[in-house]
Amino acid sequence: MNYKKIYRDKDHSGAYLFFGKEKYLIENAVGYLLNKYVKGTEAFNYTKFKGSEAKVEDIISACETYPVMNDKKIVLVRDLVDFLSENDLKDSFYDFLDNLSDFVILIFWDTGNLKKTTKFYKEFHKKDRDMDFAKLSMPDLNNFVKGYFIRKGKDIKPSEVSLFIEESGYNSKNEDVSLLDLKTEMDKIASHAKDKKITREDISSSITENIDTNIFRFLDAMMNRNTEVAIIELHNLYKLSEASLKIFTMIIRQVKNFLFYKILSEKNMSQVEIMNKMEVSKFEFDKKIKMKERNFTKEFLIDFYDELIKADELFKTSSIDEKVIMETLIIKYCNDF
């Protein structure tokens, strides 16, 4: 069920499943319900549980306790996958969910990609209580971008909205760009724009461009096995206030794209065919892949991609700090002749 049902319904009660890629939209929906039903009484009528700590009996108790000086109360269980892994849910729990009092709104927030084959998902789906906060369609995305800039006190023309969306990579199938990422970009653009109207120049100076530039410099240093410069460029990326894991993801994606382009180019495919096969936007293809890939040899990309995959495995299976793993990778690779 599309998440917009939350805003269309005049009244809310019972259990809901919130899931999907857009954390920003989920946060807004939770905020909307809190503001509508328990504003000013949150201390008495809003209960939050972490999935890893929540027990079935605690959730039942919270839902059965009457609201205080209010008609409604809200109970939120975040990190649903953790909750399901820690609790063996019986049929009696699902019966309980089906018979919640009208005064309670129970929200299960999936932050871990709940499988749609699970009994839990199916129970909510068959009752139209599964709220999907998926990536926005193009019309909704256009409205979101324009509206956000307006709330920032800025004007932006449709052509500039389209340019921003294309540069952001939001609609690229193989790029995990979210509305939170777009919000960060728009905050940056709005704060640096000299005039009320957002221009193409304002957009082109977005922080993403700075990150990309640093990534290209980092990869160049790695190809030349320059340990000192590679570590400096890595630290420059960290200074951009990006999470270290996200930086790693962006690096591995860029290497993968360069390598994919080189492999496809050897197959006598047209540039349009290559772009469609890679499932990237025209802007990204022209400005971030074609213009830069020639700086890196295929041998380097294959070799370094293998090292990145090994580092990714360390990220997932060890407790070693991500920055330490990256710096160790740099030193090992640059000195392994």
Side-chain angles (χ1 to χ4, degrees):
M1 181 67 63
N2 188 282
Y3 75 91
K4 291 181 181 179
K5 186 178 187 298
I6 292 293
Y7 298 97
R8 289 196 297 264
D9 290 348
K10 293 183 179 180
D11 188 48
H12 304 83
S13 62
Y16 294 88
L17 169 61
F18 284 9
F19 70 100
K21 292 185 176 181
E22 290 300 355
K23 178 183 175 183
Y24 182 79
L25 295 179
I26 296 178
E27 289 176 344
N28 282 353
V30 172
Y32 167 78
L33 294 173
L34 289 173
N35 187 63
K36 181 174 182 177
Y37 292 110
V38 299
K39 185 177 181 180
T41 67
E42 292 94 331
F44 306 106
N45 300 310
Y46 178 39
T47 304
K48 294 182 289 184
F49 292 101
K50 291 182 180 179
S52 59
E53 301 173 358
K55 302 298 181 186
V56 169
E57 55 269 25
D58 295 332
I59 294 173
I60 292 175
S61 176
C63 291
E64 290 181 339
T65 304
Y66 281 91
V68 178
M69 298 180 292
N70 207 47
D71 295 329
K72 297 275 189 180
K73 69 179 303 183
I74 294 176
V75 178
L76 174 68
V77 182
R78 184 163 173 154
D79 304 327
L80 173 62
V81 172
D82 290 341
F83 169 70
L84 295 178
S85 66
E86 294 291 332
N87 294 272
D88 181 19
L89 301 185
K90 307 297 184 184
D91 288 341
S92 59
F93 183 70
Y94 293 104
D95 291 338
F96 164 75
L97 296 180
D98 289 339
N99 294 283
L100 285 172
S101 299
D102 289 341
F103 64 71
V104 65
I105 300 169
L106 172 59
I107 302 169
F108 291 97
W109 182 348
D110 171 34
T111 59
N113 197 22
L114 176 71
K115 293 182 179 180
K116 294 184 178 181
T117 55
T118 62
K119 179 178 179 179
F120 192 91
Y121 173 81
K122 290 178 180 179
E123 287 292 324
F124 281 82
H125 181 66
K126 68 184 182 183
K127 298 179 179 67
D128 290 335
R129 288 293 180 131
D130 56 321
M131 302 294 113
D132 186 3
F133 293 80
K135 296 189 76 167
L136 294 183
S137 64
M138 185 55 75
D140 285 345
L141 184 59
N142 275 279
N143 291 333
F144 172 79
V145 172
K146 182 178 180 179
Y148 193 86
F149 277 119
I150 288 174
R151 291 193 295 276
K152 285 286 183 178
K154 299 292 184 180
D155 293 330
I156 184 168
K157 295 190 298 185
S159 58
E160 271 64 50
V161 170
S162 297
L163 175 65
F164 172 76
I165 291 172
E166 185 176 20
E167 289 198 15
S168 73
Y170 183 85
N171 287 321
S172 295
K173 292 182 180 179
N174 67 340
E175 186 165 4
D176 193 19
V177 178
S178 70
L179 293 179
L180 284 173
D181 296 314
L182 264 60
K183 177 179 176 294
T184 299
E185 298 283 3
M186 289 188 285
D187 287 341
K188 176 79 172 180
I189 292 170
S191 65
H192 284 79
K194 296 179 180 179
D195 301 315
K196 184 176 181 180
K197 182 172 290 185
I198 299 297
T199 66
R200 297 179 74 87
E201 289 73 26
D202 295 326
I203 294 170
S204 65
S205 63
S206 168
I207 188 170
T208 294
E209 290 300 306
N210 294 330
I211 292 173
D212 287 337
T213 299
N214 281 106
I215 288 176
F216 296 142
R217 289 174 181 167
F218 169 76
L219 293 177
D220 187 61
M222 291 301 294
M223 189 175 72
N224 292 311
R225 299 183 185 268
N226 190 323
T227 306
E228 182 179 356
V229 174
I231 289 178
I232 289 173
E233 292 302 335
L234 182 65
H235 286 187
N236 286 338
L237 284 166
Y238 293 146
K239 289 177 183 177
L240 293 175
S241 299
E242 291 287 338
S244 55
L245 185 56
K246 181 176 181 179
I247 289 172
F248 176 79
T249 301
M250 294 174 73
I251 290 171
I252 199 170
R253 181 181 182 277
Q254 195 64 64
V255 172
K256 183 179 178 181
N257 277 345
F258 285 156
L259 183 56
F260 197 14
Y261 177 85
K262 287 185 180 293
I263 292 172
L264 293 177
S265 296
E266 296 172 351
K267 298 182 181 295
N268 295 320
M269 298 172 65
S270 70
Q271 295 298 296
V272 173
E273 288 174 325
I274 293 174
M275 181 180 71
N276 291 336
K277 186 73 173 177
M278 295 181 68
E279 297 184 324
V280 297
S281 68
K282 188 175 187 304
F283 175 85
E284 182 180 10
F285 184 75
D286 289 338
K287 302 296 184 182
K288 300 182 182 181
I289 298 175
K290 275 177 59 179
M291 285 183 62
K292 299 293 183 179
E293 62 82 23
R294 67 194 69 172
N295 296 332
F296 308 103
T297 65
K298 182 180 176 182
E299 291 72 25
F300 160 73
L301 294 172
I302 293 174
D303 194 18
F304 191 48
Y305 185 71
D306 287 342
E307 294 295 331
L308 289 171
I309 295 300
K310 294 175 185 176
D312 185 46
E313 188 64 26
L314 267 181
F315 283 149
K316 297 173 180 177
T317 59
S318 76
S319 58
I320 303 173
D321 184 86
E322 294 157 355
K323 294 181 180 180
V324 173
I325 292 175
M326 279 301 297
E327 290 187 10
T328 302
L329 182 153
I330 292 171
I331 294 169
K332 177 180 180 294
Y333 182 85
C334 289
N335 291 279
D336 184 17
F337 290 97

